[in-house]
Amino acid sequence: MFGYLILTILVFTLVAYFVGQTAGRSFALADRQTHSLPGYHGAFVAVWVGIPALVLALLWVALQQPVIDRLVIGSLPGALTSGATPAQLSLILSEIKNVAAGQIFAEPSPDVKAAADLYVRWQDIARWAMFAAAVALMLLALVIARSKLAPRFRARTGVERFITGMIIFCSVVAILTTVGIIASLVYESLEFFRRVPLHEFVFGTRWEPQMAIREDQVAGAGAFGVIPVFTGTLLIASIAMLVAVPIGLFTAIYLVEYANENVRRVVKPVLEVLAGIPSVVYGFFAVLTVAPAVRAAGGAIGIVMSPNSALVAGGVMGIMIIPFISSLSDDALKAVPRTMRDGSLAMGATRAETMIKVLLPAAIPGIMGGVLLGLSRAIGETMIVVMAAGLIATLTFNPLDSVTTVTVQIVTMLVGDTAFDSPKTLAAFALGLMLFLVTLTLNVIALRIVQKFREQYD
Amino acid sequence: MNVMQQATTSPIEIRTPKMPAMEGRAVSVFYGQKQALYDVSLAIERNQVTSLIGPSGCGKSTFLRCLNRMNDTIDICRVTGEIRLDDEDIYNRDIDVVELRARVGMVFQKPNPFPKSIYENVAYGPRIHGLTRSKIELDEIVTSSLRRAGLFDEVKDRLNEPGTGLSGGQQQRLCIARAIATRPEVLLMDEPCSALDPIATAVIEELIDELRENFTIVIVTHSMQQAARVSQKTAFFHLGKLIEEGHTSDLFTNPKNKQTQDYITGRIG
């Protein structure tokens, strides 16, 4: 039904467009002094007809269900509803809905049967009412909008205003979503900090979140010190950056300055493929291929290392980040005007001198942007570390040791049996908030750097 | 002015004064399959300003860029023939392009100061070629180059500010200062005034006339008036061929070739 309604609205909108356009044409034929082109008259009427009906339909669909539920509950005999908790009520309601949909497991009571019939009837009525209301609204809008059209009517301005409004609406949706996510993070984190004090969380050096969630479980008392988890994240992210920055940057330099067209035609798409590999694939590459190899290599020269070493997770993550850094640096280097390059070469500078002294300084904002974007990725990356890094939070800077990261901890806390009011679960939100703050800070720094240098180098 | 001239007594003037500073012999240039320059032979006389004129796409810039092998930076470009600098073919295998470009400097159409301070812009060449042994010497080169480019008085208090903050005309003079800081023998200028207003243009033209005492200058220009004002020798290019060359005054008052006459009287181009 809703689909038909949308279709009807579309048809009406189209008709409205042609009505408006025809009117506009007739104005144009009669008089050269019309304000707007016929297309704008058409679009104006179409907007008037289509948008209110669409909004009405969406609101109707959103509000219909609760109203009908309320009506059906109200129709039930008092004996059934009096003294029932909301949970029991919703149980009765879902039974009614099941019966209405024909999914009957046991013979329902006559009351429920009657309510189900009522439910079906209300739904039918609501559907038709929605249809009728929408069509009436559209007809009304068509008449009003058409009556507004006149040779000097500013249909173009009206359409322009609609487009502005739509654009604002879209950006507001994006912003509101962000605000909503942050709000839920902050809310749950506050719940967490009510149970675990903030200073214990921020400065604690022990992370043992596997506490009992029921009385009969045997588990640790729980310790929520975030420092070892963050050092793990930073260790792995630093290793990743140590791999990705030099390789990515030098790849970009090679592609921009040294490679000829043929090489570039092959290498660039290959790098893009690297960027397209899902991180879970990198994850099992790390676990199944790199980790055993690194461990064997370590064993051969007498180094004992853990199978889940930070080195492996960070190294593989670095490979994943290479395309980010190389492609952003590539863009930044290419954006340096050719005249700079020519100027330096014409001074008798070699290509390497030109690169180091002129191109890199000029491209630094873009390159820094790429590096910090890569770092944000490294810190927020989940899949590789879930698979290749450890679960135990050790406070260490030894890359051969097993460490855990913030993202890994969030995952392990939220999978499996969880109670939503236990600090263990809520800690995930606190960690998420911390992670968000860290990456936000990095992004702000990146923006700052880019702005600062842009002023200087334009 | 006097101090400046003493400082720049270059060794070139001691060499055979009659020999041209540079000479192109049967130079042809190809961009891929397309030929851009046909058998151009042209001598660049020492301590003179030679101007290359002609309509857009006539090959004058291409020829200019052959003189310090800037065409090397274009992958598909191929040069045949010979270009001599002090009796050495610059397209010879033994020639080090880096050294060549230190001897044949270039100023571009659009001012292109590096994103560095004014001081660092001028010090760029001397630094990469190791021309100085101390900071004092470097300071001296920077100062004298800026002075010779007629820019020193305007920027002496802000040598550490970015060169990109200067006006267009100042930027172009900064680029000239940068080019002469390596003490080149020849200075190539590719339409150096086309991005500048008339006042800045007049300043640069005056500067070119002064620089002639110490450098050999080749200038590509769209403006025939400019060619007439600054140059001693003029070469007219059309469709990739050198049509006519000669003393500037002769070429403009008494062109031998019909095409040259048409161009300078404004009938083609």
Side-chain angles (χ1 to χ4, degrees):
Chain A
M1 195 61 185
F2 189 65
Y4 284 122
L5 181 58
I6 296 291
L7 208 65
T8 315
I9 293 177
L10 271 181
V11 170
F12 263 81
T13 308
L14 262 179
V15 170
Y17 178 82
F18 285 113
V19 167
Q21 197 193 30
T22 315
R25 281 227 187 89
S26 68
F27 297 145
L29 280 179
D31 183 5
R32 312 216 116 253
Q33 292 294 305
T34 50
H35 175 271
S36 306
L37 290 173
Y40 280 112
H41 285 286
F44 178 79
V45 180
V47 166
W48 261 78
V49 168
I51 298 301
L54 204 62
V55 172
L56 175 81
L58 290 174
L59 284 180
W60 194 294
V61 167
L63 298 177
Q64 172 184 324
Q65 198 62 49
V67 172
I68 293 181
D69 287 355
R70 189 83 43 94
L71 285 172
V72 169
I73 295 281
S75 78
L76 287 172
L80 221 56
T81 51
S82 66
T85 61
Q88 282 167 327
L89 272 182
S90 92
L91 209 63
I92 296 172
L93 201 58
S94 66
E95 192 190 351
I96 293 171
K97 279 180 194 167
N98 278 337
V99 172
Q103 296 162 332
I104 305 168
F105 303 107
E107 188 56 31
S109 69
D111 284 342
V112 169
K113 239 181 188 167
D117 288 343
L118 193 66
Y119 178 78
V120 171
R121 216 168 54 238
W122 273 118
Q123 261 196 328
D124 267 355
I125 293 171
R127 249 183 246 138
W128 285 109
M130 171 169 78
F131 204 93
V135 170
L137 184 64
M138 286 193 287
L139 285 173
L140 184 69
L142 182 62
V143 171
I144 294 177
R146 174 64 187 82
S147 72
K148 282 191 170 209
L149 299 187
R152 295 298 304 156
F153 178 67
R154 305 193 168 186
R156 190 180 57 213
T157 322
V159 172
E160 198 62 33
R161 216 174 291 142
F162 164 71
I163 289 174
T164 314
M166 206 171 66
I167 292 167
I168 292 174
F169 174 74
C170 288
S171 47
V172 167
V173 166
I175 293 168
L176 284 185
T177 316
T178 316
V179 171
I181 291 173
I182 296 171
S184 86
L185 261 186
V186 170
Y187 179 77
E188 302 290 352
S189 303
L190 287 180
E191 279 294 300
F192 172 73
F193 290 129
R194 207 166 292 153
R195 290 167 171 82
V196 176
L198 181 64
H199 62 88
E200 211 179 295
F201 180 69
V202 177
F203 300 111
T205 53
R206 271 176 58 240
W207 179 262
E208 284 148 20
Q210 301 302 336
M211 56 191 290
I213 58 172
R214 289 194 315 272
E215 268 96 53
D216 56 337
Q217 280 183 324
V218 178
F224 295 94
V226 86
I227 286 180
V229 186
F230 262 89
T231 52
T233 298
L234 290 181
L235 180 63
I236 288 184
S238 328
I239 294 170
M241 295 320 276
L242 277 181
V243 172
V245 171
I247 296 183
L249 189 55
F250 287 134
T251 308
I253 290 175
Y254 172 70
L255 284 179
V256 170
E257 199 57 14
Y258 293 87
N260 64 30
E261 206 40 50
N262 291 330
V263 175
R264 202 216 273 281
R265 250 204 303 269
V266 176
V267 174
K268 278 216 94 171
V270 171
L271 274 175
E272 273 148 28
V273 167
L274 205 58
I277 297 175
S279 63
V280 66
V281 176
Y282 281 107
F284 55 69
F285 170 63
V287 174
L288 300 179
T289 314
V290 182
V294 169
R295 194 152 185 243
I301 54 171
I303 300 173
V304 181
M305 50 194 290
S306 113
N308 297 323
S309 64
L311 186 66
V312 170
V316 173
M317 196 191 278
I319 292 170
M320 186 191 76
I321 294 169
I322 289 173
F324 278 85
I325 293 179
S326 77
S327 102
L328 281 168
S329 307
D330 187 296
D331 290 347
L333 286 171
K334 247 194 249 144
V336 179
R338 204 195 146 75
T339 54
M340 291 284 170
R341 205 164 134 251
D342 282 357
S344 174
L345 291 173
M347 297 291 300
T350 62
R351 287 209 279 200
E353 284 167 340
T354 302
M355 177 54 69
I356 294 166
K357 297 196 170 179
V358 176
L359 297 187
L360 281 182
I364 265 295
I367 293 172
M368 279 311 286
V371 168
L372 283 169
L373 194 71
L375 186 58
S376 298
R377 265 283 335 220
I379 291 176
E381 167 56 37
T382 313
M383 215 54 226
I384 293 177
V385 282
V386 165
M387 296 172 82
L391 285 176
I392 311 295
T394 0
L395 184 52
T396 176
F397 286 104
N398 177 5
L400 303 179
D401 242 338
S402 161
V403 296
T404 190
T405 71
V406 178
T407 48
V408 170
Q409 289 307 313
I410 292 177
V411 169
T412 52
M413 281 168 182
L414 291 183
V415 294
D417 280 347
T418 49
F420 234 82
D421 49 358
S422 118
K424 181 199 157 198
T425 316
L426 290 171
F429 290 93
L431 282 180
L433 185 67
M434 292 289 276
L435 200 58
F436 168 70
L437 288 178
V438 169
T439 41
L440 181 72
T441 313
L442 282 176
N443 284 340
V444 170
I445 293 173
L447 269 180
R448 269 295 159 80
I449 288 175
V450 169
Q451 273 169 359
K452 181 174 181 295
F453 280 96
R454 183 169 294 152
E455 278 164 14
Q456 214 168 332
Y457 289 129
D458 226 355
Chain B
M1 206 45 211
N2 273 333
V3 181
M4 175 197 91
Q5 276 166 18
Q6 277 164 11
T8 57
T9 318
S10 63
I12 318 157
E13 282 154 70
I14 308 160
R15 293 183 199 146
T16 11
K18 288 281 181 231
M19 203 175 76
M22 292 192 86
E23 192 178 2
R25 293 179 188 163
V27 179
S28 293
V29 177
F30 302 84
Y31 291 116
Q33 294 298 310
K34 195 175 158 287
Q35 189 163 3
L37 214 55
Y38 297 85
D39 271 335
V40 172
S41 298
L42 180 67
I44 311 294
E45 303 298 338
R46 214 172 285 282
N47 291 74
Q48 282 196 359
V49 179
T50 304
S51 58
L52 312 180
I53 61 169
S56 296
C58 67
K60 55 193 192 303
S61 285
T62 300
F63 181 72
L64 189 79
R65 290 169 65 91
C66 287
L67 297 177
N68 69 344
R69 293 185 55 175
M70 277 306 281
N71 282 331
D72 290 12
T73 60
I74 300 164
D75 283 342
I76 54 165
C77 181
R78 193 160 55 83
V79 179
T80 64
E82 226 181 289
I83 294 176
R84 304 206 149 255
L85 170 66
D86 289 342
D87 224 32
E88 230 182 332
D89 184 3
I90 63 169
Y91 280 89
N92 195 317
R93 277 176 189 286
D94 303 335
I95 288 285
D96 180 9
V97 184
V98 165
E99 200 185 316
L100 167 73
R101 288 178 188 154
R103 290 171 64 189
V104 183
M106 188 159 188
V107 175
F108 293 83
Q109 178 172 2
K110 201 169 153 264
N112 59 345
F114 299 135
K116 298 173 184 296
S117 70
I118 294 170
Y119 183 93
E120 284 301 323
N121 260 287
V122 182
Y124 188 81
R127 271 199 220 275
I128 56 175
H129 295 296
L131 297 182
T132 56
R133 253 159 289 145
S134 65
K135 175 87 170 95
I136 300 161
E137 261 182 88
L138 187 62
D139 286 350
E140 211 174 274
I141 289 191
V142 170
T143 313
S144 70
S145 303
L146 282 171
R147 197 165 270 149
R148 214 176 306 162
L151 190 62
F152 186 71
D153 290 335
E154 292 163 56
V155 301
K156 62 181 172 209
D157 301 323
R158 44 177 175 150
L159 289 177
N160 291 318
E161 284 172 33
T164 43
L166 298 172
S167 75
Q170 288 173 324
Q171 284 190 13
Q172 194 60 301
R173 277 180 283 152
L174 177 61
C175 292
I176 292 174
R178 185 177 71 187
I180 59 184
T182 52
R183 301 189 184 129
E185 297 158 34
V186 182
L187 193 57
L188 309 177
M189 296 181 155
D190 191 354
E191 297 179 38
C193 302
S194 65
L196 305 181
D197 68 49
I199 295 168
T201 301
V203 174
I204 303 256
E205 283 180 7
E206 209 171 300
L207 179 62
I208 291 172
D209 205 45
E210 286 167 18
L211 291 173
R212 175 162 71 92
E213 293 181 39
N214 302 305
F215 303 97
T216 303
I217 294 172
V218 187
I219 176 171
V220 164
T221 175
H222 261 127
S223 151
M224 283 171 283
Q225 290 85 343
Q226 185 172 64
R229 282 193 299 263
V230 301
S231 69
Q232 286 73 52
K233 182 175 176 176
T234 299
F236 170 62
F237 285 72
H238 189 48
L239 297 176
K241 296 192 176 82
L242 175 61
I243 305 295
E244 186 171 348
E245 56 153 318
H247 287 295
T248 300
S249 50
D250 290 349
L251 190 121
F252 277 106
T253 53
N254 191 16
K256 296 185 192 69
N257 189 292
K258 175 81 169 50
Q259 274 176 308
T260 317
Q261 192 179 4
D262 285 350
Y263 182 69
I264 60 178
T265 53
R267 238 168 288 166
I268 57 165

